[in-house]
Amino acid sequence: MRRPASDHTTPDPPVRTKNPNRGTASRSAVTPSAATPSAANLGAPSRNGRSRSAPDASVSAGTGRGRAARDRGCVLVARLDDAGDVLLAGPAVRAVRTRAREVVFLAGPNGRAAAEVLPGVDRVITWDAPWIDHTPPPVTRKLVGDLADRLGGVDEAVLLTSFHQSALPLALLLRLAGVARISAISNDYPGSLLDVRHQVDESVDVPEAERMLAVAEAAGFRLEDGDDGKLAVQRPLPDIAKFLGHCLGVGADAGKGAYVVVHPGTSAPARTWSAESHRRTVKELAEDGHQVVVTGTERDLTAFVAADVAVDLGGVTTFAELAAVIERAGVLVAGNTGPAHLAAAVGTPVVSLFSPVVPAARWAPYGVPTVLLGDQRAPCRGSRARVCPVPGHPCLSQVTSEQVVKAVRELTQ
């Protein structure tokens, strides 16, 4: 979905803009900084010494946003959490790519594989931020120094965060490392840590991909004309004949819809449908005439779910190979987890077993046909719980295998 870029002004006062496509107010301000880069990129200082945005002909005219316009040097794009979050950053990365000579992606350990398949990324830096993971590393001089040592040559940064995360800790480290221009969402006062402060109304649920693209737009990056703003992965994807060719007759030239993929794992128990329910669904899908492939990293779980009726690919695929497996599928059945967003990136419909601990409006599969199952009004909604706080896990335990099979049928007809 194409959306207008946020307006910029000096911080006295910032201009509030309203996005007509999503109905939520947002605003961006360019703030003065001792580390402000050249006037060629940001516009000459005004008489009062404050920075101001220079008119950008390549953006305002809607043309010239290809390779010839790459005048912004080396740009770091950061999203530090999980694979699905990184995939949702894809449209923002592609927008940055239109004007960056080089795009460096800063990812956490859980997001690196996803960053490596994003179109527009030249190289990936992996760093375990001590304020992101649920088992964070201790803050040490070595940890911080390691990041600084790897940022040489970075001219500016676009920091992408979720509504419950702050960009300011990373902004501080990047500023100390000499990064000249930093853009991010911050409803907290950022002082001199940010050059472009983008503010949003967090009471309105905006799809995560659009939220991140808005940050890139506020920083002066826009998608190429013709880019639909959906999720994507680099092409070509690997040949999966070695996994499925011998049993399903699926090779590099196989048509879409050869099978249904069931992915039973998630990163948090609160988002997980039971293993028994997955196993029963696989059996009923097979009885309904579908060939079924089970994927995941937990080999004991995938073996149990696949039983003797499905192909078990647990623990044997790379992230890119998993993308290829999902691309050939007619439907993916999964919870709110990275492979659901990977399905969106390869255009595969999703039966989403979605626990409302986070809003589906933000994190449901983006831009592909989706059937959402799970009680979105359950007491756990909005809690961000990793372990279900409600006895019996009612938001997902009430979903039946029959409902999943029916949803697969609807999406494959």
Side-chain angles (χ1 to χ4, degrees), residues 177-356:
V179 177
R181 188 180 194 239
I182 304 173
S183 305
I185 289 175
S186 183
N187 288 339
D188 295 323
Y189 174 62
S192 61
L193 296 181
L194 299 181
D195 300 284
V196 178
R197 175 194 185 188
H198 185 60
Q199 294 178 268
V200 299
D201 181 354
E202 297 292 15
S203 69
V204 179
D205 289 327
V206 175
E208 196 75 353
E210 295 180 18
R211 172 191 171 91
M212 289 189 276
L213 180 56
V215 180
E217 290 177 340
F221 302 100
R222 296 186 64 187
L223 289 170
E224 292 270 9
D225 290 335
D227 189 321
D228 61 11
K230 293 183 179 180
L231 309 192
V233 294
Q234 293 181 18
R235 304 291 178 159
L237 291 172
D239 186 358
I240 56 172
K242 63 182 178 181
F243 300 120
L244 300 175
H246 67 288
C247 51
L248 297 181
V250 178
D253 298 324
K256 194 171 184 68
Y259 47 83
V260 173
V261 171
V262 174
H263 189 93
T266 67
S267 61
R271 304 180 185 187
T272 305
W273 202 37
S274 72
E276 291 78 11
S277 295
H278 278 101
R279 180 182 172 111
R280 186 161 52 249
T281 296
V282 166
K283 180 176 181 293
E284 292 177 13
L285 284 170
E287 291 172 349
D288 202 45
H290 298 282
Q291 298 188 85
V292 184
V293 175
V294 179
T295 60
T297 58
E298 304 167 68
R299 301 196 70 171
D300 289 344
L301 173 62
T302 60
F304 175 79
V305 170
D308 58 353
V309 298
V311 177
D312 178 12
L313 293 185
V316 303
T317 62
T318 66
F319 198 78
E321 289 167 342
L322 178 60
V325 169
I326 293 174
E327 182 181 41
R328 304 295 184 203
V331 178
L332 170 74
V333 177
N336 179 21
T337 187
H341 303 297
L342 194 56
V346 297
T348 297
V350 181
V351 175
S352 179
L353 299 158
F354 201 99
S355 168

Side-chain angles (χ1 to χ4, degrees), residues 30-57:
V30 178
T31 60
S33 166
T36 299
S38 68
N41 284 343
L42 293 181
S46 62
R47 291 182 180 178
N48 63 10
R50 291 174 178 156
S51 300
R52 67 187 180 197
S53 291
D56 184 341

